[in-house]
Amino acid sequence: MFFHIVLERNMQLYPRRFGPNLRDKLVAKLMKDVEATCSGRHGLVVAITGVANIGKGLIRDGTGFVTFPVKYQFVVFRPFKGEILEAVVTMVNKMGFFAEAGPVQIFVSNHLIPDDMEFQSGDIPNYTTSDGSVKIQKESEVRLKIIGTRVDATEIFLDGSLSILGIGPFSKLVTLKRLIPLSCIAS
Amino acid sequence: MSGEEEENAAELKIGDEFLKAKCLMNCEVALILDRKYEQLQQMSNDPMNQVSQVFEKSLQYVKRFSRYKNPDAVRQVREILSRYQLAEFELCVLGNLCPETVEEAIAMVPSIKTKGRAHEDDAIEKMLNDLSLIKKFE
């Protein structure tokens, strides 16, 4: 899920870079430092949308660096366990499939794909139901439930499951058809 | 927040910070990122060079999965959903996934049925009807 958050951060700037466009310099540095970084707490920073307030600078003893408290708003992508989201399938193999939801990668293991979906190898590997009505292949859009998150310095990896109801593999295909979006369903 | 392990969106355990934060639907993110992209375009002729891969991928994603394209519709969706005493997070999940039946809505947002909240099936159904109307008249 995307969130809009306000945070304050202390930015350090060396006096050599001071001048009439100090604010622009600070904002540019902020974008460089913060955008596309990732933390377990806040998730992945997508874009800074505004700088609300830059406080008075404070000279740090001994270094000459000046610290400015900068208050900024940003859009962040923060996935949660148990969340349901839509994703685009990027790769299918017999272990399961990979999908992408915006900036994050999601892996769905074949244990978490409904039992009646079989892996079919070939030119376009895919998972298909026995009656052929639902097919998951590259570029399919799927809905999945996040069951695990792993965060490193620049990326977030998620583990997903197709059993959204949380009661094991789908018992009711009717539900499945609606929960996995229509692009997967063969006409 | 009481430890990473206990996080569970289905029960709306997403930490105080995010519970109070402004949650965005995909269509709202699309509007925000589009505007930012236009701003960058004005500043340089090659904005694709300026933006990170994260930005680019997010923009593609939210555009692909936006249910409502026009800004007025987006505003209406939020207004209608906010009449139903939903948490921000629940509101956005519903706005993003647009369930069609009450059963689906509860599968996607189990927390609307817990905690003894007064969400009768009728109320949920009315909410879903209102949502599909916006889509129809967009």
Side-chain angles (χ1 to χ4, degrees):
Chain A
M1 181 67 67
F2 290 93
F3 292 87
H4 210 180
I5 299 185
V6 182
L7 263 192
E8 197 171 274
R9 181 187 174 93
N10 284 324
M11 301 283 307
Q12 289 197 8
L13 206 64
Y14 202 65
R16 186 200 302 153
R17 301 177 63 192
F18 289 1
N21 46 6
L22 177 65
R23 188 191 158 89
D24 294 346
K25 286 244 170 71
L26 275 172
V27 173
K29 187 170 171 4
L30 179 73
M31 288 188 175
K32 210 174 132 220
D33 287 1
V34 176
E35 281 187 355
T37 61
C38 183
S39 77
R41 194 178 143 104
H42 288 114
L44 203 52
V45 179
V46 176
I48 291 175
T49 54
V51 175
N53 179 29
I54 297 180
K56 286 211 164 81
L58 201 71
I59 302 174
R60 290 173 64 96
D61 283 345
T63 62
F65 273 107
V66 177
T67 314
F68 296 90
V70 180
K71 211 174 190 180
Y72 60 102
Q73 300 153 308
F74 59 102
V75 175
V76 74
F77 184 81
R78 171 72 157 89
F80 291 95
K81 250 185 226 171
E83 183 184 337
I84 290 162
L85 47 73
E86 290 165 309
V88 183
V89 175
T90 52
M91 192 174 80
V92 178
N93 61 33
K94 67 175 194 299
M95 311 292 289
F97 66 85
F98 287 90
E100 240 176 33
V104 302
Q105 289 262 4
I106 306 167
F107 177 67
V108 179
S109 145
N110 60 5
H111 299 295
L112 299 168
I113 294 171
D115 277 346
D116 64 342
M117 295 194 85
E118 286 275 335
F119 177 68
Q120 322 262 339
S121 54
D123 271 356
I124 306 167
N126 61 71
Y127 282 90
T128 312
T129 47
S130 43
D131 61 355
S133 62
V134 181
K135 190 183 233 180
I136 296 176
Q137 61 188 42
K138 194 171 186 244
E139 284 298 306
S140 292
E141 294 172 358
V142 291
R143 279 187 186 152
L144 33 85
K145 180 177 187 163
I146 297 170
I147 53 167
T149 56
R150 271 169 297 154
V151 182
D152 74 23
T154 55
E155 271 184 296
I156 297 183
F157 299 96
L158 303 175
D159 291 312
S161 163
L162 280 183
S163 56
I164 288 177
L165 299 174
I167 45 169
F170 279 97
S171 43
K172 286 181 283 183
L173 254 185
V174 195
T175 326
L176 174 77
K177 274 187 188 163
R178 271 292 307 156
L179 292 177
I180 299 179
L182 295 170
S183 81
C184 299
I185 297 174
S187 47
Chain B
M1 186 160 153
S2 50
E4 183 102 9
E5 285 311 309
E6 285 180 37
E7 172 175 291
N8 185 353
E11 294 163 25
L12 210 61
K13 287 184 188 151
I14 58 173
D16 248 6
E17 192 178 0
F18 284 99
L19 213 47
K20 288 184 193 127
K22 177 126 176 108
C23 198
L24 298 170
M25 289 182 277
N26 288 345
C27 41
E28 293 170 316
V29 179
L31 295 176
I32 293 174
L33 294 188
D34 248 349
R35 207 178 59 202
K36 167 130 184 165
Y37 188 74
E38 272 166 30
Q39 281 173 0
L40 287 171
Q41 226 163 5
Q42 283 166 5
M43 288 197 287
S44 80
N45 344 335
D46 188 16
M48 258 319 165
N49 255 340
Q50 296 265 326
V51 301
S52 62
Q53 211 192 3
V54 173
F55 184 95
E56 205 182 314
K57 284 199 161 165
S58 303
L59 186 56
Q60 275 171 11
Y61 173 73
V62 292
K63 278 195 170 163
R64 182 161 182 171
F65 289 104
S66 283
R67 302 288 148 164
Y68 310 94
K69 307 280 181 221
N70 115 32
D72 286 332
V74 175
R75 206 170 310 129
Q76 270 181 351
V77 171
R78 187 169 272 277
E79 196 197 303
I80 285 181
L81 285 173
S82 59
R83 286 182 208 150
Y84 292 87
Q85 286 115 40
L86 298 163
E88 281 268 316
F89 186 82
E90 296 168 329
L91 187 155
C92 291
V93 173
L94 291 173
N96 276 347
L97 301 176
C98 289
E100 277 175 11
T101 64
V102 177
E103 201 188 359
E104 260 176 57
I106 295 169
M108 288 166 184
V109 195
S111 53
I112 53 176
K113 265 297 195 189
T114 53
K115 297 188 297 190
R117 288 161 66 183
H119 280 121
E120 296 303 323
D121 287 1
D122 297 348
I124 299 173
E125 187 154 4
K126 182 165 184 309
M127 173 170 77
L128 300 180
N129 276 339
D130 289 351
L131 274 187
S132 61
L133 273 183
I134 302 179
K135 183 77 199 154
K136 224 176 270 172
F137 289 113
E138 191 182 344

Coordinates of all heavy atoms in Angstrom, one line a residue, chain B residues 9-54:
Chain B
A9 N -2.1 -7.2 8.2 CA -3.1 -6.2 7.7 C -4.5 -6.7 7.8 O -5.4 -5.9 7.8 CB -2.7 -5.9 6.2
A10 N -4.7 -8.0 7.8 CA -6.1 -8.5 7.8 C -6.8 -8.2 9.1 O -8.0 -8.1 9.1 CB -6.0 -10.0 7.6
E11 N -6.0 -8.0 10.2 CA -6.6 -7.6 11.4 C -6.3 -6.1 11.7 O -6.5 -5.7 12.8 CB -6.0 -8.5 12.6 CG -6.4 -9.9 12.5 CD -5.6 -10.8 13.3 OE1 -5.0 -10.3 14.3 OE2 -5.4 -12.0 13.0
L12 N -5.8 -5.5 10.7 CA -5.5 -4.0 10.8 C -4.4 -3.8 11.8 O -4.4 -2.7 12.4 CB -6.8 -3.3 11.2 CG -6.9 -1.8 10.6 CD1 -6.8 -1.8 9.1 CD2 -8.1 -1.1 11.1
K13 N -3.5 -4.7 11.9 CA -2.3 -4.5 12.8 C -1.2 -4.0 11.9 O -0.4 -4.7 11.4 CB -1.9 -5.7 13.5 CG -2.8 -6.2 14.6 CD -2.3 -7.4 15.3 CE -3.3 -7.9 16.3 NZ -3.1 -9.4 16.5
I14 N -1.2 -2.7 11.7 CA -0.1 -2.2 10.8 C 0.7 -1.1 11.5 O 1.4 -0.4 10.8 CB -0.8 -1.6 9.5 CG1 -1.7 -0.5 9.8 CG2 -1.4 -2.7 8.7 CD1 -2.3 0.2 8.6
G15 N 0.7 -1.1 12.8 CA 1.5 -0.1 13.5 C 0.8 1.2 13.6 O 0.1 1.7 12.6
D16 N 0.9 1.9 14.7 CA 0.3 3.1 14.9 C 0.6 4.2 13.9 O -0.3 4.9 13.4 CB 0.7 3.7 16.3 CG -0.5 3.7 17.2 OD1 -1.6 3.1 16.8 OD2 -0.4 4.2 18.4
E17 N 1.9 4.2 13.5 CA 2.4 5.3 12.6 C 1.6 5.2 11.3 O 1.2 6.2 10.8 CB 3.8 5.0 12.4 CG 4.5 6.2 11.8 CD 6.0 5.9 11.6 OE1 6.5 4.8 12.1 OE2 6.7 6.8 11.1
F18 N 1.5 4.0 10.8 CA 0.8 3.8 9.5 C -0.7 3.9 9.6 O -1.4 4.2 8.6 CB 1.2 2.6 8.8 CG 2.6 2.7 8.2 CD1 3.7 2.2 8.9 CD2 2.8 3.3 7.0 CE1 5.0 2.3 8.4 CE2 4.1 3.4 6.5 CZ 5.2 2.9 7.2
L19 N -1.2 3.5 10.8 CA -2.7 3.6 11.0 C -3.1 5.1 10.9 O -4.2 5.4 10.4 CB -3.0 3.0 12.3 CG -4.3 2.3 12.5 CD1 -4.5 1.3 11.3 CD2 -4.3 1.5 13.8
K20 N -2.3 6.0 11.4 CA -2.6 7.4 11.4 C -2.2 8.1 10.1 O -2.7 9.2 9.8 CB -2.0 8.1 12.6 CG -2.7 7.6 13.9 CD -2.2 8.4 15.1 CE -2.6 7.8 16.4 NZ -1.5 7.5 17.3
A21 N -1.2 7.5 9.4 CA -0.7 8.2 8.2 C -1.8 8.2 7.1 O -2.7 7.5 7.2 CB 0.5 7.4 7.7
K22 N -1.5 9.1 6.2 CA -2.4 9.2 5.1 C -2.1 8.1 4.1 O -1.1 8.0 3.6 CB -2.3 10.6 4.4 CG -3.1 10.8 3.2 CD -3.9 12.0 3.3 CE -4.7 12.3 2.1 NZ -6.1 12.1 2.3
C23 N -3.2 7.3 3.9 CA -3.0 6.1 3.0 C -3.5 6.6 1.6 O -4.4 7.3 1.5 CB -3.9 5.0 3.6 SG -3.5 3.4 3.0
L24 N -2.8 6.0 0.6 CA -3.2 6.5 -0.8 C -3.7 5.3 -1.6 O -3.1 4.2 -1.6 CB -2.0 7.1 -1.4 CG -1.4 8.3 -0.8 CD1 -0.1 8.7 -1.5 CD2 -2.3 9.5 -0.9
M25 N -4.8 5.6 -2.4 CA -5.2 4.6 -3.3 C -4.3 4.7 -4.6 O -3.7 5.7 -4.8 CB -6.6 4.8 -3.7 CG -7.6 4.5 -2.6 SD -9.3 4.8 -3.2 CE -9.5 6.6 -2.9
N26 N -4.3 3.6 -5.3 CA -3.4 3.6 -6.5 C -3.7 4.8 -7.4 O -2.8 5.4 -8.0 CB -3.6 2.3 -7.3 CG -2.9 1.1 -6.6 OD1 -2.1 1.3 -5.7 ND2 -3.3 -0.1 -7.0
C27 N -5.0 5.1 -7.6 CA -5.3 6.2 -8.5 C -4.8 7.5 -7.9 O -4.4 8.4 -8.7 CB -6.8 6.2 -8.7 SG -7.9 6.0 -7.3
E28 N -4.8 7.7 -6.6 CA -4.3 8.9 -6.1 C -2.8 9.0 -6.3 O -2.2 10.1 -6.6 CB -4.6 9.0 -4.6 CG -6.1 9.2 -4.3 CD -6.4 9.0 -2.8 OE1 -5.9 8.1 -2.2 OE2 -7.2 9.8 -2.4
V29 N -2.1 7.9 -6.1 CA -0.6 7.9 -6.3 C -0.3 8.2 -7.7 O 0.6 9.0 -8.0 CB -0.1 6.5 -6.0 CG1 1.4 6.4 -6.2 CG2 -0.4 6.1 -4.5
A30 N -1.2 7.7 -8.7 CA -1.0 8.0 -10.1 C -1.0 9.5 -10.3 O -0.2 10.1 -11.0 CB -2.0 7.3 -10.9
L31 N -2.0 10.2 -9.7 CA -2.1 11.6 -9.9 C -0.9 12.3 -9.3 O -0.4 13.2 -10.0 CB -3.4 12.1 -9.2 CG -4.7 11.7 -9.7 CD1 -5.9 12.2 -8.9 CD2 -4.9 12.1 -11.2
I32 N -0.5 11.9 -8.1 CA 0.7 12.6 -7.5 C 1.9 12.4 -8.3 O 2.7 13.4 -8.6 CB 0.9 12.0 -6.1 CG1 -0.3 12.4 -5.2 CG2 2.2 12.6 -5.5 CD1 -0.3 11.8 -3.8
L33 N 2.2 11.2 -8.7 CA 3.5 10.9 -9.4 C 3.4 11.5 -10.8 O 4.5 12.0 -11.3 CB 3.7 9.4 -9.5 CG 4.0 8.6 -8.2 CD1 4.4 7.2 -8.5 CD2 5.0 9.3 -7.4
D34 N 2.3 11.6 -11.4 CA 2.2 12.2 -12.7 C 2.5 13.7 -12.6 O 3.2 14.2 -13.5 CB 0.7 12.1 -13.2 CG 0.7 11.2 -14.5 OD1 1.8 10.8 -15.0 OD2 -0.4 10.8 -14.9
R35 N 2.0 14.3 -11.6 CA 2.3 15.8 -11.4 C 3.8 16.0 -11.2 O 4.4 16.9 -11.7 CB 1.5 16.3 -10.3 CG 1.2 17.8 -10.5 CD 0.4 18.4 -9.4 NE 1.0 18.2 -8.1 CZ 0.3 18.2 -6.9 NH1 -1.0 18.4 -7.0 NH2 0.9 18.1 -5.8
K36 N 4.4 15.1 -10.3 CA 5.8 15.3 -10.1 C 6.6 15.1 -11.4 O 7.6 15.7 -11.6 CB 6.2 14.2 -9.0 CG 7.7 14.1 -8.9 CD 8.1 14.2 -7.4 CE 9.7 14.1 -7.5 NZ 10.3 14.5 -6.3
Y37 N 6.2 14.1 -12.2 CA 6.9 13.8 -13.4 C 6.8 15.0 -14.4 O 7.8 15.4 -15.0 CB 6.2 12.6 -14.1 CG 7.0 12.1 -15.3 CD1 8.2 11.4 -15.1 CD2 6.5 12.3 -16.6 CE1 8.9 11.0 -16.2 CE2 7.2 11.9 -17.7 CZ 8.4 11.2 -17.5 OH 9.1 10.8 -18.6
E38 N 5.6 15.7 -14.4 CA 5.5 16.9 -15.2 C 6.4 18.0 -14.7 O 7.0 18.7 -15.5 CB 4.0 17.4 -15.2 CG 3.2 16.8 -16.2 CD 1.7 17.0 -15.9 OE1 1.4 18.1 -15.3 OE2 0.9 16.2 -16.3
Q39 N 6.5 18.1 -13.4 CA 7.4 19.2 -12.9 C 8.8 18.9 -13.3 O 9.6 19.8 -13.7 CB 7.4 19.2 -11.4 CG 6.1 19.9 -10.8 CD 6.0 19.7 -9.3 OE1 6.9 19.0 -8.7 NE2 5.0 20.3 -8.7
L40 N 9.2 17.6 -13.2 CA 10.6 17.3 -13.6 C 10.8 17.6 -15.1 O 11.9 18.0 -15.6 CB 10.9 15.8 -13.4 CG 11.0 15.4 -11.9 CD1 11.1 13.9 -11.7 CD2 12.3 16.1 -11.3
Q41 N 9.7 17.3 -15.9 CA 9.8 17.5 -17.3 C 10.1 19.0 -17.6 O 10.8 19.3 -18.6 CB 8.5 17.1 -18.0 CG 8.7 16.3 -19.2 CD 7.4 15.6 -19.5 OE1 6.3 15.8 -18.9 NE2 7.4 14.8 -20.5
Q42 N 9.5 19.9 -16.8 CA 9.7 21.3 -17.1 C 11.1 21.7 -16.7 O 11.7 22.6 -17.3 CB 8.7 22.1 -16.2 CG 7.3 22.1 -16.8 CD 6.3 22.6 -15.8 OE1 6.6 23.1 -14.7 NE2 5.0 22.6 -16.2
M43 N 11.7 21.0 -15.8 CA 13.1 21.4 -15.4 C 14.1 20.9 -16.3 O 15.2 21.5 -16.5 CB 13.3 20.9 -13.9 CG 12.5 21.7 -12.9 SD 13.2 21.5 -11.3 CE 12.6 19.9 -10.9
S44 N 13.9 19.8 -16.9 CA 14.9 19.3 -17.9 C 14.2 18.6 -19.0 O 13.1 18.1 -18.9 CB 15.9 18.3 -17.2 OG 15.3 17.1 -17.1
N45 N 14.9 18.4 -20.2 CA 14.2 17.8 -21.3 C 14.2 16.3 -21.2 O 13.5 15.7 -22.0 CB 14.8 18.3 -22.7 CG 15.7 19.5 -22.5 OD1 15.5 20.2 -21.6 ND2 16.7 19.6 -23.4
D46 N 15.0 15.8 -20.4 CA 15.1 14.3 -20.3 C 14.7 13.8 -18.9 O 15.6 13.4 -18.2 CB 16.5 13.9 -20.7 CG 16.6 12.4 -20.9 OD1 15.6 11.8 -21.0 OD2 17.8 11.9 -20.8
P47 N 13.5 13.9 -18.6 CA 13.1 13.6 -17.2 C 13.3 12.1 -16.8 O 13.5 11.8 -15.7 CB 11.6 13.9 -17.1 CG 11.1 13.9 -18.6 CD 12.3 14.2 -19.4
M48 N 13.3 11.2 -17.8 CA 13.5 9.8 -17.5 C 14.9 9.6 -16.9 O 15.1 8.6 -16.1 CB 13.4 9.0 -18.8 CG 12.1 8.3 -18.9 SD 11.6 7.6 -17.3 CE 9.9 7.3 -17.5
N49 N 15.8 10.5 -17.2 CA 17.1 10.4 -16.6 C 17.1 10.8 -15.1 O 18.0 10.3 -14.3 CB 18.1 11.3 -17.3 CG 19.1 10.4 -18.2 OD1 19.2 9.2 -17.9 ND2 19.7 11.1 -19.1
Q50 N 16.2 11.6 -14.8 CA 16.1 12.2 -13.4 C 15.5 11.3 -12.4 O 15.8 11.4 -11.2 CB 15.3 13.5 -13.5 CG 15.9 14.6 -14.3 CD 16.7 15.5 -13.5 OE1 16.4 15.8 -12.4 NE2 17.8 16.0 -14.1
V51 N 14.6 10.4 -12.9 CA 13.8 9.7 -11.9 C 14.4 8.3 -11.7 O 15.1 7.7 -12.5 CB 12.3 9.5 -12.3 CG1 11.7 10.8 -12.5 CG2 12.2 8.6 -13.6
S52 N 14.2 7.8 -10.5 CA 14.8 6.5 -10.1 C 14.0 5.4 -10.7 O 12.8 5.6 -11.2 CB 14.8 6.4 -8.6 OG 13.5 6.4 -8.1
Q53 N 14.5 4.2 -10.7 CA 13.8 3.1 -11.2 C 12.6 2.8 -10.4 O 11.5 2.4 -10.9 CB 14.7 1.9 -11.2 CG 14.4 0.9 -12.3 CD 15.1 -0.4 -12.1 OE1 15.8 -0.6 -11.1 NE2 14.9 -1.3 -13.0
V54 N 12.7 3.1 -9.1 CA 11.6 2.9 -8.2 C 10.4 3.8 -8.6 O 9.3 3.3 -8.6 CB 12.0 3.2 -6.7 CG1 10.8 3.2 -5.8 CG2 13.1 2.3 -6.2

